[in-house]
Amino acid sequence: QVHLVESGGGSVQPGDSLRLSCAATGPTPRHSHMAWFRQAPGKEREFVAAISLSGDNTYYPTSVKGRFTLSIDSANNTTYLQMNLLEPEDTAVYYCANSPSCSGFSCFFRNNYDYWGQGTQVTVSS
């Protein structure tokens, strides 16, 4: 059982930056991917970013590409989501997730993730 714990959420103003962290413990398969999703009130949970445990591959949707950067400390199975130029539309609960089996485009889809964290709130407001 993989256990995921997020931290780093908070309230910021538009244009500010924030960094989220996700620490994974438990038997994490070597070829798995770590990812972030977010869910705003009344909306579907959407993909934000994913990274292979090796750090060799990263994936972003167009909505955050160029503003968000996902990195990983592979020795500690901890990912860091650096979010810059935050917009009110980025307001959501952000969830960390782990997929033992996704690869490439399949990592964009939440159904391919088996383990989830409890979520951390990010609020962007003036």
Side-chain angles (χ1 to χ4, degrees):
Q1 183 84 7
V2 177
H3 186 55
L4 304 171
V5 178
E6 303 103 332
S7 60
S11 295
V12 296
Q13 295 187 336
D16 284 354
S17 298
L18 204 60
R19 190 176 82 155
L20 306 182
S21 301
C22 173
T25 57
T28 309
R30 188 163 60 95
H31 296 293
S32 64
H33 283 69
M34 299 283 290
W36 287 88
F37 287 73
R38 65 186 181 187
Q39 188 165 17
K43 292 190 175 181
E44 296 282 323
R45 191 169 296 190
E46 65 172 353
F47 173 70
V48 174
I51 189 167
S52 56
L53 278 193
S54 66
D56 291 341
N57 300 301
T58 53
Y59 308 98
Y60 304 95
T62 54
S63 57
V64 306
K65 199 167 188 176
R67 298 190 299 125
F68 291 11
T69 302
L70 183 59
S71 60
I72 188 166
D73 175 353
S74 298
N76 295 306
N77 281 352
T78 299
T79 63
Y80 302 97
L81 182 66
Q82 178 67 41
M83 304 185 293
N84 297 329
L85 299 173
L86 283 162
E87 304 167 352
E89 293 74 21
D90 296 315
T91 295
V93 177
Y94 282 69
Y95 296 92
C96 178
N98 175 270
S99 171
S101 59
C102 78
S103 178
F105 189 57
S106 70
C107 293
F108 282 60
F109 300 98
R110 62 182 180 177
N111 290 345
N112 291 320
Y113 289 82
D114 293 346
Y115 304 103
W116 294 85
Q118 81 286 354
T120 186
Q121 177 71 44
V122 172
T123 302
V124 185
S125 173
S126 56

